[in-house]
Amino acid sequence: MPHEVTPRVIVVGAGIVGCSLADELTARGWTDVTVLEQGPLPAPGGSTSHAPGLVFRTGPSRTLTRFAAYTVEKFSSLDVAGVPCFEPVGGLELATTPERLADLHRRAGFAASWGVSGEVVSAARCKELWPLLDESVVLGGFHTPGDGLARAVLACRAQLDRAVARGARFLDRHTVTGVAREDGRVTGVHTDRGFFAADHVVSAAGFWGPVVGRMAGVDVPLQPLAHQYARTRPLPELSGTTAEATRPILRFQEADLYFREHGDRIGIGSYAHRPLPVDPFAVPPYDEARAAGREMPSSYPFTEEDWAPSWAECRRLLPALRGTEIESGFNGVFSFTPDGMPLLGESRELRGFWLAEAVWVTHSAGVARAVAEWMVNGRPSIDVHDCDVTRFEEAQRSPAYVRERGSQQFVEVYDVIHPLQPMERPRPLRVSPFYPRQQELGAYFLEGGGWERPHWYEANAPLVAELGGGGGGGGGHGAGDGHGEVADALGDLGALRDLPDLPARDPWAARHWSPIAAAEARATRERVALYDMTPLRRLEVTGPGALAFLDRLTSNNLRKKPGAVTYTLLLDESGGIRSDLTVARLGPEHFQVGANSPADLDHLLRHAPDDVRIRDITSGTCCVGVWGPLARDLVQPLTGDDFSHEGFGYFRAKRTHLGHVPVTALRLSYVGELGWELYTTADLGLRLWDTLWEAGRDLGVIAAGRSAFDSLRLEKGYRAWGTDMTCEDTPYEAGLGFAVRMNKEHFTGQDALRARPEPTRTLTPLLLDDPAAVVLGKEPVHLDGVPAGYVTSAGYGYTLGRCVAYAWLPAGLAPGTGVHIEYFGEKLPATVAEEPLFDPGMSRIRR
């Protein structure tokens, strides 16, 4: 875009995010940028002004790791008057228990997966790196030499100067009082010192984000919380120190503590105390805070009563602290969201209004680059779907939910979190109509998107004995006793055909897992099972322009007669996979779309023409998956319509009645067996379940959960969007080229796909060589002894008798190629497999 016609951008907030964003925007030619700040520059009193500056890059989120890596890269190139904005002193995370040491090996795996240099080191090496440690309480550590300290206020100054040199302006002492709009678009902001017109407004206000959002009429699900930070008196052991810091930043996560040097003093941060929520609407402006005796608005009085347990742990780890006291301390305010991730992107309700909120210094430059790319180019260069402002369900946006989940995120900052571990409260929040029956069957529920999702059913426990093998301990079945009568009511399932024995699991893999899942998978393969698929998102798209609209936005051919179902992809302009969809044409102008996240609805609504109506019908409907070789035997007697293969083909839709219940039946299967997805309205859901259950008694029907479902879909190689592929991946890389019709009329991403070179990386199926080995996802994959990719989805294939793992690896690896998957520091041998791993001829589905 020519310089003279660049959009007018207002950035609200001159903390580390606002300054970084101004720098990134102006570097891309958008030079008409005004940054408004209510406090004085360069330290206006938000979270940046007091941030301790720790930058650890490694974690389970690839997105956050990449944000942090760019922050390190960028800040390392900046200085102010010769003082660097980043000090690469390294990072050291400690373990004082075997459980934490094991987790450090897991974190080392994350580092290898995401390209961060790090290693698990001995207690002696920890002592070398941090001589003040009591080596006797340390078992080992995870050392990342490229991590370090960001001087946040200096980084603000350096980026501010660069942005100003390109044409940006920074105005402090300007308090935003309102956001102006017209015809659904932002037009500027009102301040206590006048009006500023704008084409885009970005809220980078930190914990004041909900305040700015309310002015714009945009929900900002963010909860500020106060966090303790203290400095010791000078330590004799550090006397004569001239540098600000020379030793690695230190994390003692078992005690929820971190440490950094301040010359001859030690700074200590604690997450060990009770959550201290802060009302962003009650935080005083800068001058009022100063008048009240506070250093800045984000600095609250130190709560001594919360400090004592942490101080005891500090002195246990660092004996030198036993001879000193705390010189100063405060409770600094930071932002937390219900899932701990940032809030990024443009509001659909108010076009041109953007959020860059809940961002810590660690991720600031990476976030700013992504948002700047999004604004200038229409999309970020990396996947940010787990940061998208649209990701939360409506049920997850209440103030009570945001406060409770945000507070829990604070509590769990340094906890060891299992990938399946759900939040405990508030639950249950969303339940399907089948919930009472699931409880009667002893369902073990996990949670996703606010939905209670059965992972297995205790009523199926008697089937485990037929599997053989120990199955491992841990995890817990979660249902307790009292379900014998329900189990008896299942009837005699008879002898299932021989399948591989079930091996024992290690304690980590056994969490939130039960051998019952294997029994449910086996029963699905041999008989028939009911799966609650209600949480899957359903959109209704209708109107004269519906067909042309959906066909233009997706990759496959949707111009089929009513009754057709099509698997297709939503691509972005670069050919990356925004989402995958299942589109059922129920009438000439009526489509039911099976989608993924709320972002899919948002995307369709943004692009829908006036003659298209889009409605989310998920909450008002429900779905049962009836799958297994006896699925037709169960369903056909309930209806007068023909459910034979000839009368109801694969990937077809039909409206019918099952007993008294009107249903929309889609002949689809994501478990690799014959069957249907059966939809009805929520008020008839329980009747549908009972109808199917009664009809299936003589067939040995069971209820089966997500744990079995995931195993079965992996054996078939069915991809999970957001895990196996994202907008960074093309259909050909992800093995989904069959869902692209390049010869159809223009669709989004088509031109980019034509211009793309041959893939250099592909989503590759692996089978672990050891029948007892299990991995869970995100582990690094080593090829010829070096990391070459990482696992996306993984789970035990109960039919195959091996753990199945999909991984992004270099293209062209032949089946039979040996690799190693690193799991808690151990390199497990695995072999590249040919897919589909199970039933390659699709004979079990098409019968």
Side-chain angles (χ1 to χ4, degrees), residues 433-712:
F434 321 132
Y435 186 66
R437 299 295 182 262
Q438 293 165 345
Q439 290 179 302
E440 292 169 8
L441 293 169
Y444 181 85
F445 292 100
L446 297 179
E447 185 252 17
W451 288 100
E452 294 296 318
R453 303 179 186 221
H455 272 241
W456 65 84
Y457 293 86
E458 193 71 23
N460 297 324
L463 302 181
V464 175
E466 301 179 38
L467 291 169
H477 299 163
D481 299 324
H483 298 283
E485 293 181 4
V486 176
D488 292 341
L490 293 173
D492 180 11
L493 295 183
L496 300 175
R497 290 200 293 272
D498 288 339
L499 292 174
D501 285 348
L502 187 65
R505 285 199 172 203
D506 67 86
W508 181 256
R511 291 190 191 182
H512 303 293
W513 175 86
S514 169
I516 293 173
E520 293 175 0
R522 182 175 185 173
T524 306
R525 290 272 186 247
E526 298 298 339
R527 293 187 179 273
V528 62
L530 306 185
Y531 287 82
D532 180 5
M533 307 305 290
T534 299
L536 298 184
R537 183 169 306 281
R538 292 172 291 286
L539 309 177
E540 182 183 73
V541 182
T542 58
L547 174 59
F549 166 66
L550 289 172
D551 200 49
R552 184 178 73 252
L553 257 63
T554 64
S555 63
N556 213 335
N557 175 31
L558 301 185
R559 295 184 179 275
K560 303 172 183 177
K561 293 179 180 179
V565 182
T566 307
Y567 177 80
T568 188
L569 305 172
L570 272 180
L571 304 181
D572 64 19
E573 294 292 348
S574 72
I577 304 170
R578 288 188 59 98
S579 188
D580 61 341
L581 309 176
T582 302
V583 180
R585 191 175 189 187
L586 304 181
E589 299 179 358
H590 184 187
F591 296 82
Q592 179 174 303
V593 177
N596 288 297
S597 75
D600 294 341
L601 173 62
D602 182 83
H603 181 70
L604 294 178
L605 288 171
R606 286 176 186 269
H607 291 86
D610 293 340
D611 61 350
V612 173
R613 296 177 298 278
I614 302 171
R615 189 165 64 98
D616 189 332
I617 60 172
T618 310
S619 297
T621 56
C622 58
C623 177
V624 183
V626 181
W627 290 312
L630 301 182
R632 183 174 288 116
D633 299 74
L634 191 159
V635 176
Q636 182 63 82
L638 298 173
T639 179
D641 287 314
D642 185 0
F643 270 59
S644 70
H645 183 63
E646 295 73 22
F648 197 158
Y650 191 51
F651 266 80
R652 299 292 297 173
K654 184 178 291 189
R655 284 174 163 166
T656 186
H657 286 79
L658 298 182
H660 298 93
V661 182
V663 300
T664 298
L666 307 186
R667 190 170 167 196
L668 305 175
S669 175
Y670 289 98
V671 300
E673 298 292 337
L674 171 69
W676 289 265
E677 293 178 359
L678 303 174
Y679 297 88
T680 192
T681 53
D683 59 322
L684 290 168
L686 197 58
R687 183 61 177 262
L688 175 61
W689 181 279
D690 289 345
T691 299
L692 295 168
W693 189 262
E694 184 62 31
R697 279 179 178 273
D698 293 341
L699 303 173
V701 69
I702 68 162
R706 295 289 299 186
S707 188
F709 175 90
D710 286 337
S711 171
L712 297 169

Side-chain angles (χ1 to χ4, degrees), residues 235-248:
L235 299 180
E237 293 83 353
L238 300 179
S239 62
T241 299
T242 56
E244 179 184 357
T246 58
R247 296 173 177 82

